[in-house]
Amino acid sequence: MMMAGLRERKKEETRRRIAGVALELFARRGYDAVTVGEIAEAAGVAKVTLFNYFPTKDCLVLDGIHDDIASIVTRRRPRQTPLDALREHYLATAAHGPGDVGRMLAQVRIIAATPVLMAGLHQSSMGQRHELAAALRDPAGGETAARLMAAQITAAITTIQEAFFQRLASGTPLEEASRLFAGDVELAFDQLRDGIGGNES
């Protein structure tokens, strides 16, 4: 067990090193100007090793950009609603921090500057939405109802995440940006729970 744990840690370190080198090269020279071979050489790994971790070049940027919200829903506690499970997850993210902020900001900037990555992000978002719809599907409610719920939830999450990254990019301190993000989470999930009309006076 100990050796298995050590192997997993080393694999994760290698994965993070490759991704970090790739983001640094993309940020400096542009996504299209950098080859996978150059990334592998700079990271000190064989090209085949890189592809074992990242099957395609765009995975080097898009990997981890989305939370697995379908899994958050399917693994929720008994009697916990999907919205409550997602609210809890994003409030925890606000409280504990989003991880490597510098890496995420680099990802956002590189994606925004690269049309092929924007298209890949759109495809990834569609896949995320379909997976969430499957997790929400209720035989009594029907497939269309699940798809509509998934579309509303993913749109709300994307909107509050974009606001968070825009604040960080404009120089807002992480602590303040996280506090504002927590408020956005509450507002977004209140609206999802009550409906837009439920917030009218």
Side-chain angles (χ1 to χ4, degrees), residues 112-170:
T114 312
V116 68
L117 291 177
M118 286 295 292
L121 182 65
H122 178 66
Q123 285 293 115
S124 177
S125 297
M126 284 181 59
Q128 182 193 44
R129 191 167 70 247
H130 291 320
E131 289 170 6
L132 179 59
L136 293 168
R137 193 167 295 129
D138 179 350
E143 189 171 330
T144 301
R147 287 181 176 177
L148 288 169
M149 284 189 287
Q152 292 174 69
I153 291 168
T154 53
I157 290 170
T158 298
T159 299
I160 61 176
Q161 287 177 328
E162 286 174 350
F164 173 72
F165 285 118
Q166 285 168 0
R167 290 175 186 130
L168 288 177
S170 67

Side-chain angles (χ1 to χ4, degrees), residues 7-8 10 17 25 42 46 48-49 52-53 80 84 89 95 100 110 118 124 129 147 160 162 177 186 192-194 199:
R7 280 197 300 271
E8 288 305 312
K10 286 186 174 179
R17 184 175 76 254
L25 289 171
V48 66
T49 301
N52 284 338
Y53 288 95
Q80 186 180 38
D84 284 345
H89 170 79
D100 190 338
I110 293 164
M118 286 295 292
S124 177
R129 191 167 70 247
R147 287 181 176 177
I160 61 176
E162 286 174 350
E186 296 285 19
L192 287 167
R193 180 196 62 204
D194 301 331
N199 292 284

Side-chain angles (χ1 to χ4, degrees), residues 9-107:
R9 283 198 299 274
K10 286 186 174 179
K11 284 174 67 176
E12 183 57 27
E13 287 170 7
T14 300
R15 181 184 183 84
R16 291 184 67 82
R17 184 175 76 254
I18 294 169
V21 167
L23 290 176
E24 185 179 337
L25 289 171
F26 293 151
R28 191 165 66 239
R29 294 169 48 198
Y31 177 83
D32 294 326
V34 179
T35 68
V36 171
E38 288 175 311
I39 296 165
E41 183 178 355
V45 299
K47 195 171 177 180
V48 66
T49 301
L50 184 150
F51 281 124
N52 284 338
Y53 288 95
F54 300 97
T56 62
K57 183 181 175 183
D58 61 358
C59 288
L60 287 157
V61 183
L62 297 176
D63 188 64
I65 202 74
H66 290 305
D67 290 324
D68 189 354
I69 56 178
S71 289
I72 294 167
V73 168
T74 57
R75 295 173 185 172
R76 68 189 186 276
R77 295 189 301 275
R79 292 185 293 279
Q80 186 180 38
T81 69
L83 288 181
D84 284 345
L86 289 165
R87 185 196 297 259
E88 183 179 273
H89 170 79
Y90 285 103
L91 287 175
T93 298
H96 300 129
D100 190 338
V101 174
R103 180 178 185 274
M104 286 191 289
L105 283 174
Q107 283 178 289

